């Protein structure tokens, strides 16, 4: 399956200075019949940029305007990025990972990062929910991510990756998500079973 890749940027100004830069990168499928997929991620990208510009940007404009000129030396704008990427594809099935990163620009502060993921049945145009995998794939039942129930999963060529965004203490955990309880593909795991799971995807 071929993808088109899109980028859109916004910038928020105050008093002649840039207080926020935001960028969204997302994918779409140019072939007909994938409108639901395309609308999902274009909508997510536009909503993210709207949040950055109209909510986060306004807060920064007010904060900047309230500062005295002598306190603005070395000011750095906030940077917000959304990345929607295809990470695995096999036949009609596709995994997408969505990462957002908000960098305050304040020295010493870690970026605030969030990861989510979707597994699509592109033939049906539906996302296969985590519940479906946990219910029907024995290898995934009871697995935890640092002692917590997983928020979701994605598939790659080597197997299944469960993730949780909990309160991480280090930049590496925040930036990449917590890649633990990795279930290898060899031995008949989720990739081999999703054709069986797919008929139930729209009913879970």
């Amino acid at each position: 399956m071929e993808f088109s890749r899109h980028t859109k940027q916004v910038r928020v100004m105050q008093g002649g200075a840039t207080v926020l830069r935001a960028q969204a990168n997302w994918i779409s499928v140019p072939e007909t019949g994938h409108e639901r997929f395309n609308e999902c991620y274009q909508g997510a990208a536009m909503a993210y940029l709207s949040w950055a510009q109209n909510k986060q940007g306004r807060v920064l404009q007010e904060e900047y305007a309230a500062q005295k000129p002598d306190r603005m030396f070395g000011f750095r704008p906030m940077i917000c990025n959304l990345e929607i990427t295809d990470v695995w594809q096999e036949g009609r099935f596709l995994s997408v990972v969505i990462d957002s990163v908000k960098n305050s620009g304040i020295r010493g502060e870690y970026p605030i990062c969030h990861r989510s993921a979707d597994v699509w049945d592109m033939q049906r145009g539906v996302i296969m929910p985590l519940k479906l995998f946990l219910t029907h794939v024995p290898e995934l039942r009871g697995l935890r991510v640092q002692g917590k129930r997983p928020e979701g999963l994605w598939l790659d060529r080597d197997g299944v990756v469960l993730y949780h965004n909990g309160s991480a203490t280090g930049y590496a955990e925040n930036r990449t998500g917590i890649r633990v309880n990795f279930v290898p593909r060899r031995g008949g795991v989720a990739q081999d079973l999703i054709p069986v799971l797919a008929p139930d995807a729209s009913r879970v």
Side-chain angles (χ1 to χ4, degrees), residues 29 41 51 59 93 122 126 133 137 145 160 191 204:
V29 180
Y41 295 121
W51 164 82
V59 171
F93 303 103
M122 297 297 285
V126 296
F133 289 94
V137 183
V145 180
V160 184
Q191 285 98 329
V204 175

Side-chain angles (χ1 to χ4, degrees), residues 88-126:
W88 175 84
Q89 179 185 344
E90 189 168 297
R92 64 195 255 198
F93 303 103
L94 172 70
S95 264
V96 175
V97 168
I98 306 103
D99 279 327
S100 64
V101 181
K102 182 175 74 171
N103 191 330
S104 68
I106 299 174
R107 188 169 298 156
E109 284 194 3
Y110 288 125
I112 298 174
C113 308
H114 184 272
R115 170 163 287 181
S116 59
D118 298 321
V119 179
W120 282 81
D121 177 349
M122 297 297 285
Q123 182 174 305
R124 291 172 173 264
V126 296

Side-chain angles (χ1 to χ4, degrees), residues 18-38:
T18 299
V19 296
L20 179 142
R21 291 191 182 95
Q23 177 171 304
N25 303 303
W26 73 97
I27 56 175
S28 66
V29 180
E31 301 173 12
T32 58
H34 299 292
E35 290 78 12
R36 186 178 295 181
F37 178 90
N38 294 342

Side-chain angles (χ1 to χ4, degrees), residues 31-203:
E31 301 173 12
T32 58
H34 299 292
E35 290 78 12
R36 186 178 295 181
F37 178 90
N38 294 342
E39 290 169 2
C40 175
Y41 295 121
Q42 181 179 8
M46 295 305 102
Y48 181 82
L49 292 174
S50 177
W51 164 82
Q53 184 173 21
N54 299 316
K55 187 172 182 180
Q56 193 66 58
R58 288 180 181 176
V59 171
L60 292 168
Q61 285 176 319
E62 293 173 0
E63 291 179 355
Y64 187 96
Q67 297 297 321
K68 295 180 180 179
D70 60 352
R71 296 187 62 188
M72 300 315 298
F73 177 77
F75 171 82
R76 289 184 288 182
M78 178 175 287
I79 306 296
C80 296
N81 286 305
L82 178 71
E83 190 78 31
I84 301 174
T85 310
D86 55 297
V87 293
W88 175 84
Q89 179 185 344
E90 189 168 297
R92 64 195 255 198
F93 303 103
L94 172 70
S95 264
V96 175
V97 168
I98 306 103
D99 279 327
S100 64
V101 181
K102 182 175 74 171
N103 191 330
S104 68
I106 299 174
R107 188 169 298 156
E109 284 194 3
Y110 288 125
I112 298 174
C113 308
H114 184 272
R115 170 163 287 181
S116 59
D118 298 321
V119 179
W120 282 81
D121 177 349
M122 297 297 285
Q123 182 174 305
R124 291 172 173 264
V126 296
I127 295 172
M128 302 175 68
L130 174 66
K131 179 181 177 182
L132 191 68
F133 289 94
L134 298 184
T135 300
H136 296 288
V137 183
E139 293 91 339
L140 302 181
R141 294 176 190 168
L143 290 180
R144 294 292 182 268
V145 180
Q146 290 194 341
K148 299 179 180 179
R149 292 182 62 85
E151 292 181 26
L153 59 80
W154 73 89
L155 312 178
D156 65 22
R157 64 183 181 179
D158 297 317
V160 184
V161 184
L162 296 102
Y163 67 88
H164 193 284
N165 280 291
S167 55
T169 57
Y171 175 83
E173 288 179 334
N174 271 328
R175 182 66 186 90
T176 63
I178 304 172
R179 190 183 173 106
V180 300
N181 286 334
F182 178 77
V183 183
R185 176 178 179 141
R186 186 175 300 169
V189 291
Q191 285 98 329
D192 305 295
L193 294 176
I194 52 179
V196 178
L197 301 178
D200 295 323
S202 60
R203 298 201 296 269

